[in-house]
Amino acid sequence: MDYFPTLATRVSLALLLVLFLGAIGVYPSTAGADPPQLEKPKGERCIRDTNWMRHNHMDLLKHNRSLTVREGKRIRSESLLQCAGCHPNRDRFCDRCHGYVAVAPDCFECHIYPE
Amino acid sequence: MTMDRRSVLGLGGMLAAGVLLAPGLRLVAAPEEATEASDKRRWAMLIDTNQCDPSCTSCMKACRVENNVPLFGDPKRDIHWIRKVELRPKDGKGPDRSLPMLCNHCENPPCVHVCPTQASFIRKDGLVLIDMHRCIGCRYCMIACPYKARSLVYNEPPESASHNRKVPRRAMGVVEKCTFCVHRLDEGGQPACVEACSNEGKGGMLFGDVNDPNSAISQKLHQVLSTTIRPDLGLKPRVHYQGI
Amino acid sequence: MLSEFSAIQGRSSGYWKLVALSSGVFLLGLGAFLAIEVRGHGITGMNNQVVWGLPHVFAITLLVMASGALNLGSMSTVFATIQFKQFTRFSAFLSIVLLIGGLTVLLLDLGRPDRMLLPMLYMNFRSMFTWNVFLYSGFMILCLLYLWSMFEYKQFTKVVGSTAFAWRVILTTGTGSIFGVIHARDVFYSAITGPMFVAVSLTSGTALSTLLLVGTYQQTKRHLDDKLVFGLRNALIFFTLLVGYLFVVEKFTKFYSPAFYEVETWLLTGPWAWLYWLGVWGGCVIFPLVILFHKRLGNTVKGVFIASIITVVGAFAFVGHNLLAGQAYPFDMFPGYQLSSVFLDGQDAHYLPSVVELVLGLGGIGLSALLFLLGIRFFRLLPAKAVPPPGWELPWSP
């Protein structure tokens, strides 16, 4: 019996090590940078509490999306098109924060944000 | 809320007369805050091929503008939600025909039957729609549809200056087709092709709710001889043709 | 007594060259997948008339052969064909690797491969695809159990092997029914499409097993008794006759109905007729039979080897013809009228595969080959010396 691991075993161990090092974060990160300043909204009040929106807007969008597409339920004030009423600039609102937290939603690959 | 609209429709005679007098007239002026598809409705279309001019493509153009349907300039991969088909009798007898073809919104849609993710589905009001967020692009529906109603988005669509913001643009790799302009229907409107046909063409397209016995389309379907495409397949299409 | 099972040594440069080649092909396939993923299906030859192209031909043929690869196992475990008992491990393992190769290509050819897990979340039980998700994964599990029982728990081999056999018949009927249930397509709408796929899986699976057995034993300079190859030849003859029979029944039924005159005439004489006659009839039935029944060729390992190659190519032709001719035939939406439109209604569809999709399809074969090569090196799948069991004689020869 060979005590020394085979070439294949050694290569896979090395690969695992590299992956592990990558996972614990040898990459440069933006942590510590100041949170981005988002554009002040125009309207008086958001359709939900601001703090709630900060954490849950994606659930709201996704939930309404399914309801609208599949059930034909359209709530006009909660439509994606209505966001622009208070947040007219996508770059200075959605994208700025999404860039900061490095989450890339693909809504706007198809949907057109009103300006 | 929908019940209200339904009962308004149900008032019958008076409104039906109005509909007959002014096809395309909007029954609901401004969209309400919240609306929902009604399972009591069944949208359908009647196309009078005698009124369809071979040289007229206004329905196709209107659809492209309304739904942001791009042209790639490659006939094999261009997307067509609605297209004009020319018919020439094989035996040379009888006149040529020209007619628009679009998704037939079948009662038994084979595309929905074969879709592995339920991305293609039947909405409560009978519309056959595609949930673009769920389509995996397997294209089995394109194999199953006998009307060639569906197209895959093969390329990144070209940048276009003008967009209808109410309809999303294209996503590469998913399948798409005619929606009967669902966004317009939900606001009480008519499909863009029907509107274009009555404005620019000869008004050969009639659209409405066949569950409402007083609607113009219900009445006309009873009066005239009409057919559907490939009735032998048992799909019960909701696009009816008159004059072929 | 049967000799001991042993893994191949796999130290020769030939072995490593094969491993490098198959990994290379697989990696190229992955590259092709990435290219399609980034640039879209526009870089393939597919279009809105022919929506399933070469990758599907490769994937489905591999899946058909995966079910067929279980033949040797089933013949021994279910039908007590004792001379093949020594190949049951090999057979079950080959099924698994072909299945993996085929499914990989199928998934990588999706328009949105990033969403490939959605069918698991939202199941539509009316879709043949959903059925196949269960049939394929179930088959994979059964093959693994079958292998495991052969290695460790011999008392379960019979029951697991029999279940796997029943499963593979249903599985390949399901694969064929992807096409057979589609009423819109005159070319492949038929109750017999499923059984035809089963029959082709029997021939192509047996042929591929023959190729791999003969190849492996020759390359590793181990002994494979010619009589075993001729036993495989006899099985292949029987299955090929079955394929021919189903082909005839299908064409006869279709041609009997005037409704199908047009499409059937188009198939036999139209733009895809070459593939039908040369590939489907030639590759699946006629050429192999001529060789296998030949007094001299049929009695040589070389002859059987060549007939097996033709049979495997024939399986590709069969699936390809079904798929491509089936999609190229224009819909007859208004009988009695010639159609024309900007959407190419009423015209035979054109399809010219691009290199990218060919590479993607070959990538699946590369993956299967790689897994097979690794499998025979690391597991004891094949007997060190393959000889007929004592008392067994070859029942028939041409």
Side-chain angles (χ1 to χ4, degrees):
Chain A
M1 250 314 144
D2 277 348
Y3 175 72
F4 203 69
T6 62
L7 178 71
T9 320
R10 273 177 286 164
V11 168
S12 21
L13 280 176
L15 266 176
L16 271 178
L17 187 67
V18 169
L19 281 177
F20 176 67
L21 284 178
I24 57 171
V26 194
Y27 298 109
S29 98
T30 48
D34 289 334
Q37 290 302 308
L38 302 186
E39 190 178 47
K40 279 257 176 276
K42 273 187 187 161
E44 284 179 13
R45 213 155 46 84
C46 194
I47 53 167
R48 299 278 193 286
D49 174 62
T50 306
N51 194 38
W52 188 92
M53 278 306 267
R54 211 167 269 157
H55 293 98
N56 301 306
H57 62 283
M58 64 302 269
D59 296 330
L60 184 69
L61 284 171
K62 221 166 176 179
H63 178 68
N64 282 2
R65 161 188 115 183
S66 296
L67 280 181
T68 305
V69 174
R70 304 189 75 90
E71 310 286 329
K73 201 174 252 176
R74 292 180 193 267
I75 305 165
R76 299 228 150 45
S77 60
E78 293 185 1
S79 148
L80 185 60
L81 297 174
Q82 292 298 317
C83 297
C86 301
H87 311 288
N89 194 314
R90 207 186 98 204
D91 289 341
R92 289 199 288 265
F93 190 69
C94 313
D95 293 355
R96 187 169 285 177
C97 186
H98 273 283
Y100 175 71
V101 296
V103 174
D106 49 9
C107 308
F108 302 111
E109 277 172 29
C110 302
H111 291 273
I112 308 159
Y113 197 82
E115 280 161 39
Chain B
M1 221 159 290
T2 38
M3 275 310 288
D4 291 347
R5 286 166 71 191
R6 167 86 189 136
S7 53
V8 168
L9 275 172
L11 284 177
M14 202 169 63
L15 264 172
V19 170
L20 278 172
L21 285 172
L25 180 85
R26 289 196 167 191
L27 292 181
V28 183
E32 295 164 53
E33 158 59 12
T35 51
E36 193 176 349
S38 159
D39 54 3
K40 301 207 169 55
R41 282 214 185 86
R42 281 298 174 272
W43 298 113
M45 189 181 276
L46 175 61
I47 295 169
D48 185 353
T49 57
N50 296 313
Q51 305 291 321
C52 193
D53 190 334
S55 65
C56 172
T57 54
S58 51
C59 53
M60 290 170 71
K61 283 185 211 141
C63 177
R64 256 176 219 294
V65 173
E66 177 70 25
N67 294 301
N68 303 325
V69 183
L71 270 177
F72 298 109
D74 173 3
K76 286 158 80 180
R77 300 213 180 99
D78 273 340
I79 302 168
H80 294 276
W81 285 19
I82 183 169
R83 63 193 191 268
K84 287 289 297 290
V85 180
E86 315 303 323
L87 275 56
R88 171 155 295 174
K90 279 181 184 160
D91 55 7
K93 292 170 192 159
D96 291 0
R97 293 275 171 205
S98 176
L99 48 83
M101 278 206 61
L102 60 163
C103 171
N104 279 254
H105 294 269
C106 310
E107 191 177 324
N108 298 315
C111 51
V112 173
H113 296 165
V114 302
C115 179
T117 59
Q118 298 178 6
S120 284
F121 64 99
I122 311 176
R123 208 172 76 152
K124 277 189 274 183
D125 50 2
L127 293 181
V128 175
L129 298 175
I130 305 172
D131 186 343
M132 306 285 196
H133 310 103
R134 204 184 276 185
C135 173
I136 57 172
C138 76
R139 326 194 272 292
Y140 198 7
C141 52
M142 298 176 74
I143 296 279
C145 173
Y147 304 117
K148 261 179 85 178
R150 294 173 165 241
S151 310
L152 178 77
V153 186
Y154 276 90
N155 297 301
E156 202 67 66
E159 282 292 324
S160 163
S162 60
H163 285 298
N164 176 8
R165 298 190 184 283
K166 291 195 168 169
V167 182
R169 281 169 302 203
R170 299 286 93 76
M172 197 167 67
V174 299
V175 174
E176 58 175 54
K177 68 166 191 72
C178 154
T179 63
F180 266 172
C181 284
V182 58
H183 57 289
R184 283 167 154 250
L185 295 184
D186 286 352
E187 291 187 354
Q190 297 257 312
C193 54
V194 177
E195 213 170 86
C197 188
S198 62
N199 290 343
E200 298 160 39
K202 294 183 186 167
M205 296 168 101
L206 183 60
F207 186 87
D209 176 12
V210 282
N211 266 6
D212 173 5
N214 296 314
S215 68
I217 187 167
S218 293
Q219 307 253 335
K220 199 164 177 197
L221 276 173
H222 279 108
Q223 288 158 9
V224 301
L225 191 64
S226 67
T227 183
T228 54
I229 308 176
R230 292 291 308 265
D232 58 309
L233 297 176
L235 309 178
K236 301 194 181 161
R238 294 220 176 81
V239 176
H240 302 262
Y241 288 87
Q242 180 189 347
I244 47 166
Chain C
M1 204 50 227
L2 297 175
S3 69
E4 290 276 308
F5 286 91
S6 79
I8 66 160
Q9 288 190 319
R11 295 209 178 128
S12 66
S13 68
Y15 175 80
W16 288 112
K17 272 180 198 154
L18 279 175
V19 169
L21 178 72
S22 50
S23 336
V25 173
F26 171 53
L27 288 177
L28 279 178
L30 280 185
F33 153 67
L34 285 176
I36 296 175
E37 163 78 356
V38 172
R39 306 263 313 272
H41 273 70
I43 61 169
T44 68
M46 295 173 230
N47 50 60
N48 277 326
Q49 283 71 45
V50 176
V51 299
W52 286 353
L54 270 195
H56 273 77
V57 176
F58 277 92
I60 290 172
T61 314
L62 282 174
L63 294 175
V64 164
M65 286 197 293
S67 132
L70 201 67
N71 272 355
L72 298 189
S74 302
M75 281 194 269
S76 136
T77 307
V78 187
F79 300 103
T81 313
I82 45 167
Q83 71 272 25
F84 294 142
K85 187 163 185 224
Q86 48 199 325
F87 301 134
T88 40
R89 293 178 177 185
F90 156 83
S91 161
F93 183 75
L94 184 59
S95 279
I96 295 172
V97 300
L98 290 173
L99 206 64
I100 292 173
L103 284 177
T104 306
V105 177
L106 207 60
L107 288 177
L108 296 189
D109 186 47
L110 290 177
R112 299 295 295 235
D114 49 322
R115 299 176 180 168
M116 64 170 72
L117 291 180
L118 284 189
M120 300 289 192
L121 286 176
Y122 310 101
M123 296 202 177
N124 171 17
F125 282 100
R126 199 161 170 179
S127 172
M128 284 319 299
F129 270 4
T130 308
W131 277 67
N132 281 325
V133 167
F134 284 98
L135 289 171
Y136 293 138
S137 46
F139 185 64
M140 187 104 65
I141 292 167
L142 278 172
C143 284
L144 284 169
L145 286 177
Y146 189 31
L147 261 181
W148 193 31
S149 72
M150 283 184 280
F151 277 95
E152 298 277 336
Y153 302 95
K154 295 237 166 27
Q155 65 269 37
F156 298 126
T157 305
K158 190 99 186 166
V159 62
V160 180
S162 305
T163 317
F165 170 69
W167 197 276
R168 58 151 294 195
V169 175
I170 301 169
L171 168 88
T172 312
T173 311
T175 310
S177 297
I178 291 174
F179 309 100
V181 296
I182 303 300
H183 200 163
R185 303 277 178 175
D186 294 331
V187 174
F188 46 64
Y189 177 64
S190 164
I192 216 169
T193 307
M196 284 201 306
F197 271 71
V198 177
V200 171
S201 88
L202 292 173
T203 55
S204 58
T206 309
L208 187 68
S209 303
T210 312
L211 292 178
L212 291 175
L213 282 176
V214 172
T216 309
Y217 276 85
Q218 263 177 13
Q219 290 301 314
T220 52
K221 301 195 176 60
R222 297 185 182 186
H223 178 67
L224 171 67
D225 197 289
D226 287 358
K227 277 190 202 153
L228 290 171
V229 180
F230 297 138
L232 283 168
R233 170 202 64 200
N234 290 359
L236 188 54
I237 289 179
F238 176 75
F239 295 141
T240 307
L241 288 171
L242 179 67
V243 169
Y245 162 74
L246 288 174
F247 282 0
V248 171
V249 173
E250 198 256 355
K251 275 287 160 282
F252 175 73
T253 317
K254 282 256 174 96
F255 253 117
Y256 206 85
S257 158
F260 289 99
Y261 284 174
E262 231 170 281
V263 50
E264 290 304 315
T265 313
W266 181 87
L267 280 177
L268 301 192
T269 59
W272 290 93
W274 64 274
L275 187 59
Y276 182 71
W277 292 114
L278 208 66
V280 179
W281 269 103
C284 288
V285 185
I286 296 169
F287 300 144
L289 279 186
V290 167
I291 297 175
L292 295 174
F293 271 118
H294 195 274
K295 268 247 175 305
R296 194 167 45 80
L297 286 175
N299 280 317
T300 58
V301 173
K302 205 178 202 170
V304 179
F305 195 81
I306 293 170
S308 297
I309 292 179
I310 297 175
T311 304
V312 170
V313 174
F316 277 93
F318 168 75
V319 174
H321 178 264
N322 250 296
L323 237 86
L324 302 178
Q327 295 176 83
Y329 185 68
F331 288 116
D332 192 12
M333 288 177 279
F334 300 91
Y337 286 97
Q338 179 60 46
L339 273 58
S340 62
S341 78
V342 289
F343 202 39
L344 310 176
D345 286 289
Q347 298 178 25
D348 294 353
H350 291 284
Y351 168 66
L352 189 68
S354 72
V355 179
V356 195
E357 53 194 304
L358 178 68
V359 172
L360 174 58
L362 289 173
I365 297 183
L367 176 59
S368 293
L370 177 65
L371 292 175
F372 175 77
L373 288 169
L374 296 180
I376 53 172
R377 187 183 197 272
F378 290 109
F379 302 115
R380 287 177 294 131
L381 294 173
L382 284 166
K385 193 174 167 207
V387 289
W392 179 80
E393 277 305 319
L394 194 64
W396 177 87
S397 278

